[in-house]
Amino acid sequence: MMARPEGSIFKLCFLCSLIANLFFGVNLYLGRRGVGGWKWSSDEVNVQGLSWRRRRRPSRRRRGSARAHGRAFLDGAVADGRPACECNTCYGGPDCSLFLPSCSANADGGDPLFLEPFWKQHAESSAVVVAGWHRMSYSFSDQTTLSQELESLLRKLHSQVGNAITDDKYILFGAGSTQLLNAAVHALSHLNSSFPASAVASIPYYALYQMQTEFFDSADCSFQGDPARWKNATNTTGDIIEFVTAPNNPNGQLNEAILHGPNVKTIHDRAYYWPHFTGIPSPADEDLTIFTISKLTGHAGSRFGWAFIRNEEVYQRMNMYLQLNMMGVSRDTQLRAMKLLKVIIEDGGREIFEFGYKTMTKRWDRLRKTLSMSNRFSLQKVPPENCTYFQKVREPTPAYAWVKCEREEDKNCIEILNAAKILGRGGSIFHDDDRYARLSLIRSDDDFDMLISRLESLVAKEDGAKIM
Amino acid sequence: MMARPEGSIFKLCFLCSLIANLFFGVNLYLGRRGVGGWKWSSDEVNVQGLSWRRRRRPSRRRRGSARAHGRAFLDGAVADGRPACECNTCYGGPDCSLFLPSCSANADGGDPLFLEPFWKQHAESSAVVVAGWHRMSYSFSDQTTLSQELESLLRKLHSQVGNAITDDKYILFGAGSTQLLNAAVHALSHLNSSFPASAVASIPYYALYQMQTEFFDSADCSFQGDPARWKNATNTTGDIIEFVTAPNNPNGQLNEAILHGPNVKTIHDRAYYWPHFTGIPSPADEDLTIFTISKLTGHAGSRFGWAFIRNEEVYQRMNMYLQLNMMGVSRDTQLRAMKLLKVIIEDGGREIFEFGYKTMTKRWDRLRKTLSMSNRFSLQKVPPENCTYFQKVREPTPAYAWVKCEREEDKNCIEILNAAKILGRGGSIFHDDDRYARLSLIRSDDDFDMLISRLESLVAKEDGAKIM
């Protein structure tokens, strides 16, 4: 059930406090007070700096009760000389304590804020200080735009998790998997054939594949929808590019390639192939595999992804795309990714993946329980998988619920959900039937709590809802 | 003349020392020593932290003699538990004090490291601490991917400098001007006409314009070279997109649009329109103007640029490109850009532009003096301009020397320079005669010193060189 805090000026959000402390601590630390004006005792550090939590680490219980509904950032708006709070969905007021009861639950985008509490718990070790003169150059000392240290950390992480074989593969960095996906389509079009290529993806599929291909590559590659119709068409004139997403967005299935053959190229989107979401039955060992930090650490805003590529020509073509498109990923982003990965790798990923898996398991348990009382809505079924990382067979905990409206008359499921103040994405966005809708389960705790609350109300109104 | 320091273990580079101090300071500050293990006196801060310079600010003279030939970064390689030095061109050894006398002077790329000393002088105020949980979301609280605070700072800076009118214009951020240039071509192709567009740029022009257009937009837009041939061609079937670069890369001229008319769209590349390089006769007030932080603050590695756009449709089309290409600029980069801009804006840009202008003036003086003794090589002539920012008429100090080989037999100027151990770019890269070559004047002090040294040797060998 949702906690609805009373609005009170005294209940300043924990995060606002923490970041304001950080803000003023940093100002104290880095600010100009003249050469002779340096004054700073270690007491002040403890009170104002990042180490605030060292002195007063709230108990699990206390933190729960003081949980905030917003956050303030160094680059956010400033109110009265302090960074202003930015409130979670359904919360408002200067300290984000005001619950807005009529607002809609947001289960729309894939914002991976379910991992934010992990990073708050590791605020100190995961912070990075960037000097003003850090990496101003276009290139690293090896004349590339790619940090060797970051590359090593990524390869080490995949080896720890066992979700990808990276030996004998080239690596490229991109601005999220978003940019790499299109770089891959560009590189694979006209690889063997002068005819335009055809891109396909099993329904339901992530809408970006089609949008990008049609927006950027319409002359070289046309999007043709489901690969099933191409299965027996061996005499196509151009190459076929198949997007294979495993686990799949939106339904969490561990998809495999449908098409095979000399004129078929496959782009494996492995954004969700981490222990948060799925068992890891075996390491991916594919010609072209794309990952993103967004669904690994939750840093969607950092826009960082990477690709492993077996074939040198494909690698060179993708690299040319990335260089001409933006001359490599921001060094600031690479530095930050490096710092985050170091925190993860330190214990072999144990802490973050246990955090992610537990959080997702709890959310799925609550969601299943809520919908178990319904005859109207059903959830996708994803078979259990062996997880070599956790060394057990486990239920998958996909990032999204793929909800089906079961009643004959509920032909447009997202409309039903919208009417019940639940935001999500209709099936047709994924080229599937609108009887389905995608609900994001990886957003903030507040978003998820609100989703459950709205679903509970919706199910309670069902005629003939099951009785517990 | 070049200073050639003796290699000695005692002459540890200043930068290595500073960043190693920062590194260990930060580790002390942020590192894990257990809840009870916090020990840190303000003395240690002064020695180990960013404030090192507070206690011992070397005199101008001392700093000169202790000048380093390398730098170490947090994300660089680690040797013996310390960040390893990355040496400037022509320097080597563990502390970068070893001069490599046979190496070539690098005047090739436009790496804007001439501004690095400015940021070292402002190491404290320009540093930024990024918390592990900073801006994890895909979007800011206004659901865009663009920081409102950063936007305000950019508009304020242009108002202070007087180099662009930003009122009533949309703004977009991109991964450097690189990405924005292509987004603009994409947006302007097929704007009014279903025929493919033609892109043009006055010779000599920046090679990227053509490379991008041909790589990304070949079906929608063909690159046609110089606009002069289109001047009287009013009955073209498609739109014409003219790149206008002012000051121009490579020759520093304040180019203006050649083509006008209802089917002409102009992309104004204003990367170098800052007081470092040119007088600012009047603020740019164009339909589509692109800037980059690279040539403003010197942070080429951050990959950050911005565009001002008058027309809403063009803005929407460019925005669609940027969203589908990478879902906005990394929030880490936006935070860093914000911090850097705050430092600049604090005194209306006075300090950084005086630093940049003085540095470039000194370099041009040395270059002119060196080549004044030559009959073989000449420099471009760029007329003086009124500078509303410095409130005086001033000689331009372009980012690049556009050298002409004057001897009849020296048909390939860059080959002559390469043979004299000078790296640069031949005229044909800019679609001009190879009798010209571009030498970059905005690289590090070491690179520029080496360039002058090599040029002096080359000129000294001239038969009939002028005698001072």
Side-chain angles (χ1 to χ4, degrees):
Chain A
M1 290 299 292
M2 297 203 60
R4 301 188 183 192
E6 304 298 317
S8 155
I9 194 66
F10 299 105
K11 288 193 175 180
L12 277 167
C13 61
F14 172 71
L15 294 180
C16 282
S17 160
L18 182 63
I19 191 69
N21 283 331
L22 170 60
F23 181 78
F24 293 110
V26 169
N27 272 353
L28 271 171
Y29 184 46
L30 303 171
R32 290 159 168 252
R33 297 174 67 181
V35 175
W38 186 264
K39 280 181 188 170
W40 198 26
S41 74
S42 47
D43 274 4
E44 279 177 279
V45 178
N46 281 337
V47 177
Q48 304 278 2
L50 269 169
S51 61
W52 185 85
R53 287 182 55 248
R54 289 183 185 282
R55 285 184 66 183
R56 295 206 304 173
R57 187 188 287 269
S59 69
R60 197 169 286 269
R61 191 176 177 83
R62 272 195 62 190
R63 265 191 295 166
S65 62
R67 202 183 70 196
H69 304 287
R71 50 193 81 72
F73 295 113
L74 286 168
D75 58 355
V78 174
D80 300 329
R82 297 165 65 101
C85 269
E86 299 177 9
C87 301
N88 290 351
T89 326
C90 303
Y91 287 86
D95 58 0
C96 300
S97 63
L98 185 69
F99 179 66
L100 309 171
S102 66
C103 93
S104 291
N106 190 345
D108 188 353
D111 238 356
L113 290 183
F114 77 110
L115 288 167
E116 196 186 48
F118 175 84
W119 295 107
K120 281 179 208 150
Q121 287 167 23
H122 296 79
E124 298 130 25
S125 57
S126 62
V128 63
V129 180
V130 190
W133 50 277
H134 175 78
R135 293 262 179 234
M136 294 173 64
S137 174
Y138 280 106
S139 55
F140 289 86
S141 57
D142 62 358
Q143 303 309 311
T144 71
T145 58
L146 183 146
S147 160
Q148 298 285 330
E149 299 302 304
L150 181 52
E151 175 186 342
S152 301
L153 290 173
L154 287 166
R155 291 186 191 270
K156 186 170 178 183
L157 177 68
H158 284 293
S159 157
Q160 286 179 343
V161 176
N163 66 341
I165 291 173
T166 70
D167 298 337
D168 303 322
K169 299 212 178 88
Y170 299 98
I171 192 170
L172 282 172
F173 297 168
S177 54
T178 308
Q179 191 191 30
L180 290 164
L181 287 164
N182 193 246
V185 171
H186 209 279
L188 295 174
S189 301
H190 296 312
L191 192 63
N192 298 326
S193 162
S194 57
F195 291 97
S198 303
V200 295
S202 291
I203 293 169
Y205 58 80
Y206 181 38
L208 187 82
Y209 303 147
Q210 182 165 358
M211 291 167 75
Q212 277 193 334
T213 304
E214 291 175 350
F215 189 84
F216 293 115
D217 294 289
S218 56
D220 304 315
C221 185
S222 63
F223 201 88
Q224 300 284 345
D226 203 73
R229 56 179 280 224
W230 294 86
K231 208 165 178 181
N232 298 316
T234 48
N235 287 326
T236 56
T237 46
D239 285 338
I240 302 177
I241 300 168
E242 183 182 359
F243 292 97
V244 178
T245 320
N248 193 34
N249 172 4
N251 63 4
Q253 302 294 335
L254 272 184
N255 282 354
E256 292 184 7
I258 303 286
L259 303 180
H260 304 275
N263 65 335
V264 174
K265 309 289 164 200
T266 313
I267 299 173
H268 292 269
D269 181 345
R270 291 279 187 181
Y272 300 89
Y273 197 51
W274 297 103
H276 309 311
F277 309 114
T278 177
I280 308 290
S282 64
D285 186 17
E286 300 143 347
D287 286 351
L288 203 169
T289 312
I290 295 174
F291 289 93
T292 167
I293 207 167
S294 168
K295 303 303 184 289
L296 161 62
T297 68
H299 292 79
S302 289
R303 314 307 308 128
F304 182 71
W306 60 101
F308 292 107
I309 304 136
R310 202 188 307 266
N311 177 280
E312 190 186 349
E313 188 185 352
V314 175
Y315 159 75
Q316 295 290 4
R317 289 166 68 114
M318 281 182 72
N319 193 31
M320 177 66 90
Y321 179 105
L322 297 166
Q323 290 305 316
L324 284 180
N325 193 202
M326 64 181 258
M327 297 190 190
V329 170
S330 167
R331 308 327 161 237
D332 312 333
T333 298
Q334 294 191 46
L335 173 64
R336 185 141 190 249
M338 204 184 87
K339 189 74 182 178
L340 299 170
L341 287 177
K342 276 188 177 173
V343 173
I344 296 180
I345 282 171
E346 201 175 28
D347 68 348
R350 192 62 46 188
E351 205 177 340
I352 192 168
F353 294 123
E354 279 179 2
F355 179 94
Y357 175 41
K358 274 184 192 162
T359 304
M360 293 305 296
T361 301
K362 275 186 214 155
R363 291 187 178 190
W364 271 98
D365 287 349
R366 287 179 68 191
L367 179 68
R368 283 204 186 91
K369 189 178 164 199
T370 304
L371 294 191
S372 68
M373 290 173 273
S374 169
N375 292 312
R376 192 179 186 185
F377 305 102
S378 68
L379 291 166
Q380 80 263 44
K381 288 181 181 51
V382 187
E385 288 284 350
N386 182 40
C387 186
T388 53
Y389 183 73
F390 287 132
Q391 296 184 305
K392 65 176 181 183
V393 174
R394 51 160 280 189
E395 292 291 329
T397 48
Y400 308 104
W402 188 235
V403 175
K404 186 179 180 188
C405 280
E406 296 283 353
R407 285 186 191 164
E408 177 59 30
E409 65 271 29
D410 289 351
K411 291 193 194 323
N412 192 318
C413 197
I414 196 65
E415 279 182 7
I416 312 283
L417 293 167
N418 286 168
K421 291 186 181 276
I422 295 168
L423 305 179
R425 291 193 184 164
S428 58
I429 291 180
F430 306 90
H431 223 75
D432 207 340
D433 198 313
D434 265 332
R435 189 170 286 284
Y436 293 92
R438 189 193 84 168
L439 299 179
S440 175
L441 308 179
I442 56 176
R443 299 175 61 91
S444 70
D445 284 341
D446 277 346
D447 281 337
F448 184 75
D449 287 344
M450 194 71 185
L451 170 66
I452 293 294
S453 174
R454 292 285 183 225
L455 284 173
E456 280 172 350
S457 304
L458 183 61
V459 171
K461 284 180 202 153
E462 269 180 44
D463 287 338
K466 298 169 195 166
I467 297 159
M468 285 295 279
Chain B
M1 294 296 293
M2 296 203 59
R4 300 188 184 191
E6 306 298 317
S8 156
I9 194 66
F10 298 105
K11 288 193 175 179
L12 277 168
C13 61
F14 173 71
L15 295 181
C16 281
S17 159
L18 183 63
I19 191 67
N21 282 332
L22 171 61
F23 181 78
F24 292 111
V26 169
N27 272 354
L28 270 171
Y29 183 47
L30 303 171
R32 288 157 168 255
R33 297 174 66 181
V35 173
W38 187 263
K39 279 184 189 168
W40 199 24
S41 75
S42 46
D43 274 3
E44 280 178 278
V45 177
N46 281 335
V47 177
Q48 304 278 3
L50 270 169
S51 62
W52 183 86
R53 286 182 53 246
R54 290 183 185 279
R55 284 183 66 184
R56 295 206 304 174
R57 186 188 288 269
S59 69
R60 195 169 286 269
R61 192 175 176 83
R62 275 194 61 191
R63 263 193 296 169
S65 63
R67 205 182 71 196
H69 305 286
R71 50 193 80 70
F73 295 114
L74 287 168
D75 57 355
V78 174
D80 299 330
R82 297 164 67 102
C85 267
E86 299 178 9
C87 301
N88 289 352
T89 327
C90 303
Y91 288 86
D95 58 2
C96 300
S97 63
L98 185 68
F99 178 67
L100 309 170
S102 66
C103 93
S104 290
N106 190 346
D108 187 355
D111 238 355
L113 290 183
F114 76 109
L115 288 167
E116 196 186 48
F118 175 85
W119 295 107
K120 281 180 208 151
Q121 286 168 22
H122 296 79
E124 299 128 26
S125 58
S126 61
V128 64
V129 181
V130 190
W133 49 277
H134 176 78
R135 293 263 180 234
M136 293 173 64
S137 173
Y138 280 107
S139 55
F140 288 87
S141 57
D142 61 359
Q143 303 310 308
T144 71
T145 59
L146 183 145
S147 159
Q148 297 286 329
E149 300 302 304
L150 180 52
E151 176 186 342
S152 302
L153 291 173
L154 287 167
R155 290 186 192 271
K156 187 171 178 184
L157 178 68
H158 284 293
S159 158
Q160 287 178 341
V161 177
N163 65 341
I165 291 173
T166 70
D167 298 338
D168 302 322
K169 298 211 179 88
Y170 299 97
I171 192 170
L172 283 172
F173 299 167
S177 54
T178 308
Q179 192 192 29
L180 290 164
L181 287 163
N182 194 246
V185 171
H186 209 279
L188 296 174
S189 302
H190 297 311
L191 192 63
N192 299 325
S193 162
S194 58
F195 292 97
S198 303
V200 294
S202 291
I203 292 169
Y205 59 77
Y206 180 38
L208 186 83
Y209 302 147
Q210 182 164 0
M211 291 166 75
Q212 276 193 334
T213 304
E214 291 175 349
F215 189 84
F216 292 115
D217 294 290
S218 54
D220 303 316
C221 186
S222 62
F223 201 88
Q224 299 285 344
D226 203 73
R229 57 178 281 224
W230 294 87
K231 209 166 178 181
N232 298 317
T234 48
N235 287 325
T236 56
T237 46
D239 285 337
I240 302 176
I241 299 168
E242 184 182 358
F243 292 97
V244 178
T245 320
N248 192 35
N249 173 3
N251 63 4
Q253 302 294 336
L254 272 184
N255 282 354
E256 292 185 6
I258 301 286
L259 303 179
H260 304 276
N263 65 334
V264 175
K265 308 290 164 200
T266 313
I267 299 172
H268 293 269
D269 181 344
R270 292 279 187 181
Y272 299 90
Y273 198 50
W274 297 102
H276 308 310
F277 309 114
T278 176
I280 309 291
S282 63
D285 187 17
E286 300 143 346
D287 286 351
L288 204 170
T289 312
I290 295 173
F291 289 93
T292 166
I293 208 167
S294 167
K295 303 303 184 289
L296 160 62
T297 68
H299 291 80
S302 289
R303 315 306 309 125
F304 181 71
W306 61 100
F308 292 107
I309 304 136
R310 201 189 307 266
N311 178 281
E312 189 187 349
E313 188 186 352
V314 175
Y315 159 75
Q316 294 292 3
R317 289 166 68 113
M318 281 182 72
N319 193 30
M320 177 65 90
Y321 178 104
L322 296 166
Q323 291 305 316
L324 284 179
N325 193 203
M326 64 182 258
M327 297 191 191
V329 171
S330 165
R331 308 327 162 238
D332 313 332
T333 298
Q334 294 191 45
L335 173 63
R336 186 142 189 246
M338 204 184 87
K339 189 75 182 177
L340 299 170
L341 288 177
K342 276 188 175 171
V343 173
I344 295 180
I345 282 171
E346 201 175 27
D347 68 350
R350 193 61 47 186
E351 206 177 340
I352 192 169
F353 293 124
E354 280 179 2
F355 179 93
Y357 176 40
K358 274 185 191 162
T359 304
M360 293 305 296
T361 300
K362 274 187 214 155
R363 291 187 177 190
W364 270 98
D365 287 347
R366 288 179 68 191
L367 179 68
R368 282 204 186 91
K369 190 177 163 199
T370 304
L371 293 191
S372 67
M373 290 175 273
S374 169
N375 292 312
R376 192 179 186 187
F377 304 101
S378 68
L379 291 166
Q380 81 263 43
K381 289 182 181 49
V382 187
E385 288 284 350
N386 182 39
C387 186
T388 54
Y389 183 74
F390 286 132
Q391 296 184 305
K392 65 177 182 183
V393 174
R394 51 161 281 189
E395 291 291 328
T397 47
Y400 308 104
W402 188 235
V403 176
K404 186 179 179 188
C405 281
E406 296 283 354
R407 285 185 190 164
E408 176 58 32
E409 67 270 28
D410 288 352
K411 292 194 193 322
N412 193 317
C413 198
I414 195 66
E415 279 184 6
I416 311 284
L417 294 167
N418 285 169
K421 292 186 181 279
I422 296 169
L423 305 178
R425 290 192 185 167
S428 58
I429 291 181
F430 306 89
H431 223 73
D432 207 340
D433 197 314
D434 266 331
R435 189 169 287 284
Y436 293 92
R438 189 192 84 168
L439 299 179
S440 174
L441 308 180
I442 55 177
R443 298 174 62 91
S444 71
D445 285 340
D446 277 347
D447 280 338
F448 184 75
D449 288 344
M450 194 71 186
L451 170 64
I452 293 294
S453 173
R454 292 284 184 226
L455 282 174
E456 281 172 349
S457 304
L458 183 59
V459 171
K461 284 181 202 152
E462 268 182 45
D463 287 337
K466 297 169 195 166
I467 297 160
M468 286 294 279

